[in-house]
Amino acid sequence: MEFNSPLEVLDMNTISISRRKFAQLLGAGAAAAVVRPAVSFASSPEPVAAATRVVRLSSNENPYGPSPKALKAMTDAFDLLCRYPDEHNDELIEALAKLNSVNRDQIALGDGSSEIPKLCAETFTGPKLGKLIAPDPTFEALLNYSTANGAEVVKVPLTSSFSHDLPKMLAAAKDGLIYICNPNNPTASITPKNELRDFVAKTPRQTMILVDEAYFHYADSPDYESVIPMVKDHPNLVVARTFSKIYGMAGLRCGYCVAQKETVERMHPHQMWDSVNCMALAAAIASLNDPDQVTNGQRLNSEAKAFVIGELDKMGYKQIPSQANFIMFDVKRPVVPLIKALKEKNVQVGRLFPALPNYMRLTIGKKSEMESFLAAFRQVTA
């Protein structure tokens, strides 16, 4: 089965630069240097050395890249790179407020959604503010930020169905911040909407809640819903979103949160000015105006995910039910040797998560990438 989409006009598989190195290079000028040359994205890529042909299924990235409209918007923004991003900043905030049916003063932008946990850690956790309550395992950035801020971090294991153990998290909380990642990274599992809605309603208002919805667009279960509509009645609720996943902008770094006006105002003093660059802002605005980006991304992810899950099932490997653009499955042995063996075959998968030492996290790439993974996985498990 072959997958065709307008999103495939930008095939980032030929770029052999790590996320960390790219982040070091990426500023307004570097972004222009990367994007500006007059190349045809529709043409066949130049041959690359075999050593650079890495199948990267390790960071839950969108392999189809940004919307074609976003690419054009970035090109059109070259002449604005000498200016500060104030106008684009305001334009994106207006668009996001309209999209989420909130006021513009309820939106805070971030350098990727990763900046939002950092702001929450600095605003709501610390020796004088309170501890962080987080699930285990989960996305670790907020835990690291809170630890750096001097806060106690309390980890609450997921339930046997891999949802958040909300009663235990609530019992452990006093002031401070509770972190809910839904769908959760690395398990790709969800916490049922009724349970989460009841949890938010019961949490004392002096205890803040950050719900990370980075993978919101991939969740299609009838038991899942966003909690953004609850923000209007709960001043202690912050909801984070990102352009890194369904919008294919992981390298551009753009995210945001929705909260009540007073909560956003508490966070602002901890935020760096102009943390989102012009290129990312232009691409984000254009992405919101592309009706095909989300639907195509959902379809392509669903098709490739069904394919690899089917093959793993045939081999006897069971997965945690996935509501994201990655899966986590039981390899029936310590995962670290398999991670290393796959890397030697130029296939990168997710790192070890100590709470689940026999589970592998696998990003859903293109079908050809999943075929490469399966071939390598069969070899290293033979």
Side-chain angles (χ1 to χ4, degrees), residues 40-194:
S40 172
F41 291 110
S43 63
S44 299
E46 291 296 322
V48 293
T52 67
R53 291 186 184 135
V54 173
V55 178
R56 181 164 156 165
L57 305 172
S58 55
S59 299
N60 302 343
E61 297 150 330
N62 180 346
Y64 304 100
S67 159
K69 292 186 177 181
L71 298 175
K72 183 179 184 304
M74 286 190 285
T75 302
D76 293 343
F78 288 147
D79 291 340
L80 300 175
L81 298 185
C82 59
R83 306 297 181 186
Y84 289 110
D86 297 0
E87 292 180 8
H88 280 74
N89 203 68
D90 291 342
E91 187 177 352
L92 180 56
I93 287 174
E94 289 286 358
L96 291 171
K98 183 178 180 180
L99 176 68
N100 292 288
S101 301
V102 298
N103 296 325
R104 56 167 290 117
D105 55 15
Q106 292 182 255
I107 301 287
L109 299 182
D111 181 35
S113 64
S114 297
E115 186 177 6
I116 304 304
K118 186 174 189 296
L119 291 174
C120 287
E122 294 176 352
T123 307
F124 308 125
T125 75
K128 296 182 180 180
L129 296 169
K131 65 183 71 171
L132 170 69
I133 311 298
D136 187 28
T138 195
F139 181 56
E140 296 151 339
L142 178 58
L143 284 69
N144 295 333
Y145 295 141
S146 294
T147 299
N149 208 44
E152 177 185 357
V153 174
V154 178
K155 298 181 181 180
V156 178
L158 298 173
T159 69
S160 59
S161 60
F162 299 99
S163 63
H164 292 71
D165 194 333
L166 298 177
K168 288 185 179 179
M169 296 181 79
L170 185 57
K174 182 181 179 182
D175 301 322
L177 177 66
I178 300 175
Y179 178 53
I180 306 292
C181 187
N182 197 36
N184 187 46
N185 179 11
T187 56
S189 53
I190 61 169
T191 296
K193 60 185 180 183
N194 291 338

Side-chain angles (χ1 to χ4, degrees), residues 19 61-62 243-245 247-254:
R19 179 170 60 178
E61 297 150 330
N62 180 346
F243 284 86
S244 295
K245 306 304 177 183
Y247 294 108
M249 290 173 44
L252 281 168
R253 314 309 301 132
C254 186

Side-chain angles (χ1 to χ4, degrees), residues 356-371:
L356 296 171
N358 291 354
Y359 279 76
M360 178 179 292
R361 190 188 70 180
L362 177 69
T363 300
I364 303 301
K366 296 181 179 180
K367 184 171 183 283
S368 60
E369 294 173 318
M370 307 321 294
E371 290 171 336

Side-chain angles (χ1 to χ4, degrees), residues 166-364:
L166 298 177
K168 288 185 179 179
M169 296 181 79
L170 185 57
K174 182 181 179 182
D175 301 322
L177 177 66
I178 300 175
Y179 178 53
I180 306 292
C181 187
N182 197 36
N184 187 46
N185 179 11
T187 56
S189 53
I190 61 169
T191 296
K193 60 185 180 183
N194 291 338
E195 295 179 19
L196 188 53
R197 191 184 303 123
D198 185 61
F199 166 80
V200 172
K202 287 181 177 179
T203 301
R205 295 202 168 189
Q206 68 269 21
T207 303
M208 301 299 297
I209 306 167
L210 171 61
V211 179
D212 186 341
E213 294 185 350
Y215 302 97
F216 158 79
H217 294 95
Y218 293 106
D220 58 5
S221 169
D223 212 15
Y224 176 85
E225 68 180 12
S226 171
V227 294
I228 285 179
M230 298 189 71
V231 166
K232 67 180 187 301
D233 297 319
H234 298 279
N236 59 334
L237 178 60
V238 180
V239 184
R241 291 276 185 88
T242 185
F243 284 86
S244 295
K245 306 304 177 183
I246 199 74
Y247 294 108
M249 290 173 44
L252 281 168
R253 314 309 301 132
C254 186
Y256 67 99
C257 73
V258 181
Q260 288 196 9
K261 176 178 180 289
E262 292 75 18
T263 303
V264 171
E265 289 175 347
R266 288 177 63 187
M267 297 166 65
H268 271 321
H270 301 277
Q271 188 168 25
M272 184 177 72
W273 288 9
D274 298 330
S275 64
V276 185
N277 65 73
C278 279
M279 301 293 277
L281 290 167
I285 294 165
S287 295
L288 294 178
N289 291 322
D290 184 346
D292 296 326
Q293 177 71 14
V294 171
T295 55
N296 283 340
Q298 290 168 333
R299 175 180 59 82
L300 292 165
N301 177 76
S302 179
E303 291 172 352
K305 182 163 63 174
F307 165 71
V308 73
I309 286 176
E311 294 301 308
L312 290 171
D313 282 342
K314 293 175 186 177
M315 290 185 277
Y317 295 100
K318 300 302 180 183
Q319 314 84 38
I320 300 170
S322 171
Q323 289 288 300
N325 67 333
F326 59 95
I327 61 173
M328 200 172 204
F329 66 100
D330 187 355
V331 297
K332 306 178 185 180
R333 66 186 81 177
V335 72
V336 171
L338 292 180
I339 294 172
K340 293 179 179 178
L342 287 169
K343 187 175 182 180
E344 291 175 358
K345 295 183 176 297
N346 286 334
V347 176
Q348 298 177 356
V349 297
R351 63 190 180 279
L352 166 70
F353 290 86
L356 296 171
N358 291 354
Y359 279 76
M360 178 179 292
R361 190 188 70 180
L362 177 69
T363 300
I364 303 301

